[in-house]
Amino acid sequence: VDLKKVLEEVDSNRSIIRKLKKGEVPKDLLAKKGRVLELKTALLVVESPNKARTIARFFGRPSVREYGRLRVYEVNLGNYTLLITASGGHIYDLITDVTDVPNIYGVAYIAKKREVAFIPIYTTLKRCMDKGHQFTSETSENSLKCPICGSPNIFDARVTVDAIRDVALEVDEVLVGTDPDTEGEKIAFDIVSTVLPVNNNVKRIEFHEVTKRAIINAVSSPRGVDLNLVRAQLVRSCLLYTSPSP
């Protein structure tokens, strides 16, 4: 990638946008026959709030919008208006209080002749805001308490899910930039599944360093979710909770 050329193109597009906002028709837009200025809005979801803030600052001073408790940074990449936010890590985890089917810590098992089928059952992750404990439960919001300390001050990741969906409704596409490992791929899979009902233009991007160049390259070369990595994480979770203790 010729970074200098990319940055020149970004500066050129920014200049065009500024003129268009003033009601002017830029000469360099008319000079190239058949040129179409494509303006897109995209939501980039990463894991860490600190990472979201750092990425936003690569592209100038970002504006900040609040969707409930979800903080969203807005920056301009020339032909992209990029909204950046964080999932805060996993938004789903194995449920612990399944009662209607035989299960071992949220992994249901169904015996079929000589085989046993294991089915992981997930729900939104809950966090105790007083002590930091994490847990899963399907009890109603009014009776939800931390099972360890009893605190009613609980944050349900369902709030994050709903907020991400609200932002996804406003943009042309959603980019999921969680960590490039099995855990990150599972989080990406969950976010994609969450967003698809409201925006079917969802893509996975991958970067191995948090730099401006890495982000620009990742945004320009999206891929799909690696289902093999997702399956690996699911199998690992099932084995972790269904295997007998040593």
Side-chain angles (χ1 to χ4, degrees):
V1 175
D2 186 341
L3 185 59
K4 183 178 179 181
K5 185 177 180 180
V6 171
L7 293 177
E8 288 176 352
E9 183 70 17
V10 169
D11 290 337
S12 173
N13 286 336
R14 283 177 175 168
S15 175
I16 291 172
I17 291 169
R18 283 195 295 268
K19 292 179 180 179
L20 287 172
K21 285 182 176 180
K22 294 179 181 178
E24 302 175 8
V25 179
K27 293 181 180 179
D28 50 350
L29 184 62
L30 298 175
K32 300 180 180 180
K33 292 184 178 180
R35 175 172 178 175
V36 177
L37 182 64
E38 187 179 15
L39 302 178
K40 288 184 178 181
T41 55
L43 169 64
L44 170 60
V45 184
V46 296
E47 290 183 41
S48 163
N50 288 334
K51 185 181 292 185
R53 183 172 60 251
T54 299
I55 293 172
R57 289 176 177 174
F58 288 152
F59 304 98
R61 186 174 181 177
S63 59
V64 181
R65 301 163 63 181
E66 303 285 347
Y67 289 77
R69 298 182 62 168
L70 189 71
R71 174 164 291 191
V72 181
Y73 301 93
E74 184 174 329
V75 296
N76 191 281
L77 275 67
N79 62 332
Y80 255 107
T81 295
L82 190 64
L83 282 69
I84 309 166
T85 192
S87 69
H90 282 281
I91 54 178
Y92 296 107
D93 202 354
L94 290 169
I95 192 170
T96 56
D97 59 354
V98 179
T99 57
D100 53 347
V101 293
N103 74 96
I104 304 174
Y105 201 84
V107 181
Y109 55 90
I110 302 173
K112 293 183 178 180
K113 296 182 179 180
R114 296 183 179 181
E115 297 181 351
V116 178
F118 292 97
I119 305 171
I121 303 174
Y122 284 85
T123 188
T124 51
L125 189 64
K126 284 80 175 175
R127 294 182 178 88
C128 173
M129 302 305 291
D130 291 332
K131 300 294 184 179
H133 304 131
Q134 295 191 135
F135 62 97
T136 54
S137 176
E138 279 294 278
T139 55
S140 65
E141 293 183 6
N142 295 331
S143 60
L144 188 60
K145 294 182 179 180
C146 176
I148 300 176
C149 67
S151 171
N153 187 15
I154 304 300
F155 175 74
D156 190 339
R158 191 182 303 275
V159 175
T160 302
V161 169
D162 291 340
I164 290 176
R165 282 176 174 165
D166 288 342
V167 185
L169 278 169
E170 300 181 8
V171 298
D172 296 315
E173 65 180 10
V174 179
L175 306 172
V176 184
T178 49
D179 294 346
D181 54 24
T182 54
E183 293 294 325
E185 208 69 21
K186 173 60 168 60
I187 296 172
F189 175 81
D190 290 338
I191 293 172
V192 170
S193 301
T194 291
V195 169
L196 275 176
V198 297
N199 191 323
N200 61 6
N201 191 12
V202 190
K203 301 172 184 175
R204 173 82 161 104
I205 67 170
E206 180 178 334
F207 51 92
H208 295 266
E209 57 182 23
V210 186
T211 63
K212 184 175 182 179
R213 179 177 182 179
I215 300 304
I216 291 174
N217 289 342
V219 169
S220 63
S221 55
R223 63 171 175 83
V225 173
D226 188 337
L227 293 180
N228 288 329
L229 288 180
V230 176
R231 293 187 185 102
Q233 200 278 342
L234 290 173
V235 171
R236 178 177 177 274
S237 295
C238 290
L239 289 174
L240 179 64
Y241 292 115
T242 59
S243 298
S245 302

